[in-house]
Every structure is written in C-alpha cells, then in structure tokens.
C-alpha cells in the first residue's frame, strides 16, 4: 500500500469528543430551524503511520492535541492532506464541518487542513526486518465461508529459507496430513508455490480445515507479525491464516510421532498414511514406541545435543505386510544411525554425523484412557507369556465416563464396571458376556484367555497410541492400540454377524468372507460369500436404506454358504439405521434389532 495515499479512518466520537471538551453542536434559532456550525482544531501528527482498524487493518495517522501527550490513532480522513510524508512531525490547524444527514456508513464530519503551522523532520529508527523462519508455528485460525474459524487441530509448521540448492519451503503437520510447499519472500510479500501432501482421510472437520489452508495459500500475497502472531493476508489485506509461536518442548516424556524417514539413500520420504510411528524418550534413558507394525524398545544416551540409540532394539514379532514391513526396517535403521538431535517448537529432528536428516517427528498429545476405543494386540495367556490376537479376529475395549468397561472379545461382547485413579485401574469382578456360540473353538479359547487376563489388572500406562494393562507384580496383562476414526464411505468392511431371519444374530461361517464397501456416490458393493453384489444406498444422520440389490448367479458347492448368502441379502432389505463405533458398524432394522454387524477390514 502507498502510505502517502493511505486512507485514514476515524471514529469521530472517539477523537473529536476527546479533543474538544465542548464539541460543536447543532444550534437551533427561535424559528426552530437547525444551523450547522463549523469549528477548528489544532493537532500534532506523528512522523509514522500505524496499522489500525482490527481485522481489516488499515494505515492510520497518530495524533495528539498537546505536545506532552501520547500519540493515539486518528481513524478518519483529512480531505486535503495527501502531501503528508512520513519522517516529519506536523502541527496543523483543521476545520471541522458536520455532514448534513449522513448515511449509516458515511462520515459525520469533514476534516480539512486550514494551516500547516510547522513541519519538522524526525529521524525514524530502523526496525529489524520481520522474519518467521527461525520459529515453529501452530495454526490458530483459518478463513472459510467468509470468516475466521478456530483450527480444529493446530498442527505445526516450520519455514526453511532458500539455499543455493533448494527453494524456501514450509513443512507442516496439519494434525492429520503432512504437507510441504515452496514459497518466495520479498520484504513482507509472500507467495506460495507447488506443494505435496499425504492423503489420509481425516474426518469432516479436518478435511474442511485442510481445504481452507490449501485455498488460502493460493491467495496469500503478504504477511505481518504482531508479537508472537503471524498473519498471512490476501490482496485486500484480509487475514486468511493466523499462526502463533509454539514453545519448545522437552525431549523426554513427550509423545513424538514420526513424519518422515531417511530412505537409506540420504533422502527423506513421507511415512505411509495408514501407519503411526512413534517414540517416547523416558527419563530413565529408555526409548519405546510403535515402529509401524511392531512395538519396540531400547535405551539411549544423551550429552548436550548428542544422542545415541542402542542398536540392540527389541521388538514384538508380528508378521507385517509390505510396504509397512519395509518402512519399519527403515525407521529402526534411522533410529540407530542418528548421532544428534534438535528441537524447534514441537518438531524433533534426528540427524547423522554427515548431518543427513534421518528422522523428523512432531509432538502429539497422548490419548486419554476414557473415551478412546482400544483394539487388543496381545494378552497374557496365563502361563506368563503374551500371545498375539489371532488374525481375522478383533478384540476391543472402551472405558466410558460413567465407569463402564465394555468391548468385543472376538465373538461375544463383554461388559463390566471399572475404577481408576491416576495410573491405577480396577476392573469389576463380575465380567458379563453375551452367549453367542462361535463355531471356531480357537476363537472361543482366545476369548476365555483374554477375559481371564483382565481379572488381575491393577495399573495401566499409555505410551503414544498404545495402552498397556499390568498386574500387581508388574506383569503385562494385555496391550492395545487406539482404533482410528472410521467413516461409512471409503472404508472396507467385513460382515461379522447378521440376522438369520428367525430372530437370531449369527456369526459368519468360518472360512467365508462377506464384505461391503460404500462409496461417496451412493453405491454399495461386495461379496455375499459366494456371489458378488451391488446396488444403491442412502445415508444421513445415521439413517440408512438400500435400494434394489443385484448379485451374480453362481452356484456354490456348500449349501450352508448359499443359505448364509440368502439370509444376508434378505437382511439388507430390513435396514433402517446404522451406528459407527470405532472399528465396527451396527446396522439395525426399524424395530431396533440388529440386522448386520460389520467390522473394519484389516
């Protein structure tokens, strides 16, 4: 903006009344008619303009009536003072004329310079250039639908200046996805260029926030800093993004979530969106977390910013699919190869002797015990050994705010009471279960072993997205991971149980798979156990209905499979509502009875 031509906006009631103990008033003569009076005012005008006007910032003069007073903003316009130049202090005589019958958005007074009494050159001290490239920032507000909206998740953002080899770049974690976008700066001009992002499904509120960030970056042309705030604006000066400084976090007892890893060739790559990789450095020099698929733990040593992780890393032994297994190998190698670390705000970088960036992490808040849906990954079998949950089965646990503990034991649902105080946890002696008869004896054995392990729980601990339940002697009773938020569409579901049409809910026959996938366009499809099916669905506010379902016409050898398929397809015609609870969907008929029970596909 050209400061000489800045528009100076004034609230007359603020300035004029303050400047005139007896402000001019409308006078009435004996005939009852009103005459408009003109008055004069002498003001000192400061040698610098300032931003004023709140959200829609403008440049304003600073004025005072007396030499010894402090300057204050002048919000109105002086009609014939376009020759004002910064670097000079003015003393002027103004005429003030009321506007007859002004409109609601029109100024009430007209200000004009009658005389420039003095014009004195004043040296303005140079201020250091504004910079945001030495700080870590969190998003406070973004503009959407014409208004600034508080960020659902603040995330973290760092700005790396350009080098001879690389352009300037912002790297950020939105709270769901990682982004990297180039930018250019010239003074307080700022524009963003090309960028990349991971593509996790984040839920409605986070999707809206990420869309708002992306839209804003295409329109931003300038920035300003107000103390610990960073404002980014469009061509009209409207604030599109607002950030605040993140205070530096400690290395220990902070939950760090990895955002990038060295690919083994000296280049950083983003982590797979379906994985969560974490690290917690404890005060007793142990480090543990989730390596992508398996849990790990080892020790570390620290001296100044030097950090050495013991390469003898202990991990669980789950079989991991590709490419998750490959990523896990890269992470564990990078963790062992790091030699020093740095923390900026809530970002942790681990580098090697050649200063290669091996790992980047972002601090995330730990999950609460209450209200989080937990999925068991292992339990104590009773002989002091931990056994993993069988493939194709799911055991869950939820602690609610009313002191109720419940979940799915793999076949039957269970429920009990619980009490907790700090890290202590007691599960009620009476652990009740439903009485479904599951055809697979191994599933029933697992269910009995898991529920038995819960009886001796006395304490719990949460490490990143992992919950561990312990007995009085410190033995591990069960371990869980937090279940990610699911949505009806764009998730793959398998049928766990269905209404057989005779008033009973039965589980799917062992070694058969019934699946269901919903897309955003109202299409549903899957396998009914033998034949493929597809059709249309409508959903909204947990209401759900299916249109005509079509299927292929294969004849399957096993009669029970064909009977199951027919009963499942018939159950679809009774559907009335649904509810997503973590990794499962309960679909009910119009009477509230369970029609179909689905689980998220592994």
């Amino acid at each position: 903006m050209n400061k000489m031509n800045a528009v100076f906006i004034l609230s007359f009631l603020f300035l004029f009344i303050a400047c005139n103990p007896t402000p001019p008033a409308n006078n009435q003569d004996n005939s009852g008619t009103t005459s408009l009076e003109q008055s004069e005012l002498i003001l000192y005008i400061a040698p610098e303009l300032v931003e004023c006007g709140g959200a829609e910032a403008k440049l304003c003069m600073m004025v005072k009536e007396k030499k010894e007073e402090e300057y204050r903003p002048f919000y109105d316009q002086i009609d014939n003072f376009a020759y004002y130049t910064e670097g000079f202090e003015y003393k002027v005589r103004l005429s003030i004329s009321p506007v007859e019958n002004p409109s609601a958005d029109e100024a009430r007074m007209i200000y004009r310079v009658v005389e420039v009494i003095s014009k004195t050159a004043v040296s303005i001290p140079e201020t250091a250039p504004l910079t945001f490239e030495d700080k870590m920032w969190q998003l406070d507000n973004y503009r959407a639908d014409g208004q600034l909206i508080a960020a659902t998740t603040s995330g973290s953002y760092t700005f790396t200046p350009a080098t001879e080899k690389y352009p300037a770049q912002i790297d950020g974690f939105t709270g769901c996805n990682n982004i990297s976008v180039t930018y250019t700066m010239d003074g307080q001009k700022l524009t963003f260029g090309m960028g990349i992002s991971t593509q996790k499904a984040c839920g409605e509120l986070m999707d809206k926030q990420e869309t708002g960030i992306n839209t804003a970056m295409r329109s931003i042309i300038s920035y300003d800093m107000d103390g610990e705030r960073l404002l980014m604006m469009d061509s009209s000066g409207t604030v599109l993004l607002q950030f605040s400084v993140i205070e530096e976090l400690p290395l220990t007892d902070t939950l760090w979530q990895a955002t990038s890893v060295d690919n083994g060739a000296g280049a950083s790559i983003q982590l797979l969106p379906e994985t969560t990789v974490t690290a917690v450095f404890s005060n007793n020099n142990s480090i543990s977390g989730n390596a992508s698929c398996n849990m790990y733990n080892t020790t570390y040593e620290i001296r100044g910013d030097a950090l050495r992780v013991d390469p003898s890393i202990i991990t669980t032994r789950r079989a991991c699919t590709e490419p998750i297994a490959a990523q896990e190998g890269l992470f564990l190698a990078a963790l062992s190869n790091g030699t020093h670390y740095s923390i900026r705000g809530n970002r942790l970088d681990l580098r090697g002797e050649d200063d290669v960036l091996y790992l980047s992490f972002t601090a995330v808040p730990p999950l609460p015990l209450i209200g989080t849906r937990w999925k068991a990954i292992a339990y104590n079998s009773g002989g002091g050994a931990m056994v993993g949950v069988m493939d194709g089965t799911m055991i869950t646990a939820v602690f609610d705010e009313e002191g109720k503990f419940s979940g799915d034991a793999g076949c039957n649902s269970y429920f009990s009471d619980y009490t907790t105080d700090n890290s202590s946890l007691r599960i009620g002696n009476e652990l009740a279960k439903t009485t479904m008869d599951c055809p697979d004896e191994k599933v029933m054995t697992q269910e009995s072993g898991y529920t038995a392990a819960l009886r001796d729980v006395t304490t719990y601990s949460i490490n990143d997205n992992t919950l561990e339940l312990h007995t009085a002697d410190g033995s591990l009773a069960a371990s869980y991971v937090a279940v990610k938020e699911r949505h009806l569409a764009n998730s793959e579901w398998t049928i766990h149980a269905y209404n057989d049409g005779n008033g009973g809910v039965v589980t799917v026959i062992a070694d058969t798979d019934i699946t269901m996938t919903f897309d955003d366009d109202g299409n549903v499809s899957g396998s009914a156990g033998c034949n493929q099916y597809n059709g249309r669905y409508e959903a909204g506010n947990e209401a759900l209905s299916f249109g005509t379902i079509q299927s292929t016409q294969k004849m399957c050898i096993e009669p029970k499979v064909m009977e199951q398929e027919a009963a499942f397809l018939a159950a679809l015609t009774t559907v009335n509502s649904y509810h997503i609870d973590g990794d499962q969907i309960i679909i009910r008929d119009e009477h509230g009875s369970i029609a179909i029970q689905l689980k998220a596909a592994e």
Side-chain angles (χ1 to χ4, degrees):
M1 177 184 293
N2 185 329
K3 294 183 178 180
M4 289 186 62
N5 295 320
V7 177
F8 311 114
I9 303 176
L10 166 69
S11 166
F12 167 72
L13 291 177
F14 172 79
L15 175 69
F16 187 72
I17 294 175
C19 297
N20 287 275
T22 55
N26 290 349
N27 295 328
Q28 279 195 334
D29 58 24
N30 292 335
S31 65
T33 60
T34 300
S35 62
L36 296 178
E37 221 174 61
Q38 177 173 302
S39 61
E40 291 189 349
L41 175 69
I42 294 177
L43 287 181
Y44 292 89
I45 300 177
E48 288 184 275
L49 301 175
V50 297
E51 285 198 357
C52 59
E56 304 300 330
K58 305 292 184 183
L59 289 174
C60 297
M61 291 180 179
M62 298 289 286
V63 303
K64 59 185 179 182
E65 286 185 76
K66 297 179 181 178
K67 191 76 173 176
E68 63 272 15
E69 293 179 345
E70 296 291 330
Y71 281 112
R72 58 180 181 272
F74 185 88
Y75 296 98
D76 214 332
Q77 175 178 328
I78 301 177
D79 281 357
N80 60 338
F81 200 31
Y83 50 86
Y84 169 85
T85 304
E86 284 193 296
F88 293 90
E89 182 184 60
Y90 292 82
K91 182 179 181 181
V92 298
R93 186 190 309 277
L94 301 179
S95 67
I96 308 172
S97 303
V99 176
E100 187 173 0
N101 300 322
S103 61
D105 56 355
E106 186 179 5
R108 293 192 173 191
M109 294 289 179
I110 298 174
Y111 295 83
R112 297 184 62 83
V113 175
V114 175
E115 177 188 3
V116 176
I117 300 172
S118 65
K119 177 182 176 182
T120 306
V122 177
S123 60
I124 301 175
E126 291 188 7
T127 57
L130 299 176
T131 179
F132 48 76
E133 293 177 323
D134 59 347
K135 299 179 176 70
M136 173 81 70
W137 301 91
Q138 65 183 13
L139 180 68
D140 295 328
N141 298 287
Y142 67 96
R143 188 168 293 276
D145 303 325
Q147 58 185 340
L148 281 177
I149 299 173
T152 302
T153 303
S154 297
S156 61
Y157 303 84
T158 56
F159 298 81
T160 304
T163 65
E164 292 183 2
K165 189 174 180 181
Y166 299 107
Q169 180 170 295
I170 174 176
D171 295 296
F173 175 61
T174 66
C176 177
N177 281 294
N178 298 304
I179 65 170
S180 294
V181 184
T182 61
Y183 68 90
T184 57
M185 285 176 56
D186 181 9
Q188 286 183 245
K189 295 179 181 178
L190 173 68
T191 55
F192 290 96
M194 301 296 293
I196 59 174
S197 170
T198 55
Q199 299 296 319
K200 286 185 181 180
C202 306
E204 183 178 351
L205 291 177
M206 276 303 300
D207 286 344
K208 179 178 180 180
Q209 176 173 310
E210 290 190 348
T211 299
I213 294 171
N214 293 335
T215 301
M217 284 185 169
R218 291 194 293 268
S219 301
I220 288 169
I221 67 163
S222 65
Y223 77 95
D224 197 4
M225 293 176 64
D226 176 11
E228 297 296 288
R229 291 194 311 163
L230 169 62
L231 309 177
M232 296 185 180
M233 296 155 288
D234 63 13
S235 58
S236 69
T238 301
V239 174
L240 302 184
L241 297 177
Q242 181 178 318
F243 300 83
S244 61
V245 171
I246 297 176
E247 298 298 328
E248 185 173 302
L249 294 172
L251 174 69
T252 57
D253 293 332
T254 298
L255 172 56
W256 299 103
Q257 181 173 322
T259 56
S260 69
V261 63
D262 179 73
N263 67 354
S268 290
I269 57 174
Q270 301 289 330
L271 296 184
L272 298 170
E274 66 269 26
T275 61
T276 300
V277 181
T278 58
V280 174
F281 297 81
S282 69
N283 285 316
N284 65 359
N285 292 103
S286 67
I287 175 177
S288 59
N290 189 329
S292 289
C293 171
N294 285 285
M295 308 303 293
Y296 72 92
N297 68 80
T298 187
T299 60
Y300 72 95
E301 293 181 358
I302 188 171
R303 182 174 296 175
D305 64 351
L307 174 67
R308 285 286 187 179
V309 174
D310 186 343
S312 304
I313 300 175
I314 301 171
T315 70
T316 54
R317 298 295 183 183
R318 291 183 64 192
C320 311
T321 59
E322 295 294 348
I324 294 175
Q327 174 178 280
E328 182 163 288
L330 291 174
F331 169 76
L332 295 174
L335 194 64
S336 302
N337 291 333
T339 61
H340 59 281
Y341 77 97
S342 62
I343 296 176
R344 286 201 301 166
N346 67 346
R347 173 172 170 168
L348 165 66
D349 287 339
L350 182 62
R351 297 180 181 272
E353 292 179 349
D354 49 5
D355 211 37
V356 169
L357 178 61
Y358 281 121
L359 287 167
S360 283
F361 298 86
T362 297
V364 294
L367 293 171
L369 173 71
I370 298 173
T372 300
R373 184 173 178 83
W374 303 99
K375 180 177 72 173
I377 55 176
Y379 64 95
N380 193 310
S381 62
M386 295 295 291
V387 294
V389 173
M390 293 170 53
D391 289 340
T393 64
M394 182 178 291
I395 297 177
T396 61
V398 175
F399 300 83
D400 73 15
E401 295 180 350
E402 305 299 324
K404 302 297 181 183
F405 173 56
S406 60
D408 186 337
C411 174
N412 285 285
S413 298
Y414 66 91
F415 40 92
S416 181
D417 297 328
Y418 78 94
T419 57
T420 184
D421 183 17
N422 294 323
S423 62
S424 69
L425 176 66
R426 291 283 185 177
I427 295 172
N429 293 327
E430 299 298 327
L431 189 69
K433 294 193 297 181
T434 55
T435 56
M436 288 172 58
D437 186 17
C438 304
D440 191 332
E441 290 186 6
K442 292 181 179 179
V443 174
M444 295 301 291
T445 300
Q446 172 180 270
E447 185 171 284
S448 297
Y450 166 72
T451 54
L454 298 175
R455 298 190 186 113
D456 298 324
V457 170
T458 60
T459 61
Y460 78 94
S461 62
I462 297 177
N463 180 350
D464 60 64
N465 67 336
T466 302
L467 166 67
E468 293 184 346
L469 306 184
H470 298 268
T471 61
D473 63 1
S475 299
L476 185 59
S479 61
Y480 307 78
V481 293
V483 176
K484 295 180 180 179
E485 180 184 4
R486 299 281 182 176
H487 302 277
L488 182 66
N490 299 319
S491 292
E492 295 183 2
W493 303 95
T494 59
I495 310 306
H496 172 63
Y498 62 93
N499 194 307
D500 63 1
N502 297 316
V505 177
V506 297
T507 55
V508 172
I509 297 171
D511 299 322
T512 63
D513 290 315
I514 304 179
T515 63
M516 184 173 285
T517 301
F518 302 83
D519 70 16
D520 287 326
D521 297 323
N523 299 306
V524 62
S525 60
S527 169
C530 174
N531 286 283
Q532 300 295 311
Y533 69 92
N534 63 77
R536 299 283 295 170
Y537 78 94
E538 291 184 3
N541 297 323
E542 297 198 342
L544 178 65
S545 62
F546 293 98
T548 301
I549 300 294
Q550 299 176 333
S551 69
T552 56
Q553 299 298 316
K554 282 196 312 183
M555 287 299 295
C556 301
I557 298 174
E558 177 57 57
K560 289 185 178 180
V561 174
M562 294 300 293
E563 291 173 7
Q564 173 180 269
E565 180 168 289
F568 164 70
L569 294 174
L572 292 180
T573 65
T574 69
V575 167
N576 180 260
S577 65
Y578 76 98
H579 175 70
I580 298 178
D581 185 6
D583 264 14
Q584 69 174 347
I585 302 178
I586 304 297
I587 297 178
R588 299 182 183 274
D589 62 21
E590 62 180 349
H591 304 296
S593 300
I594 293 178
I596 305 170
Q597 183 178 349
L598 302 88
K599 291 186 176 181
E602 292 290 335

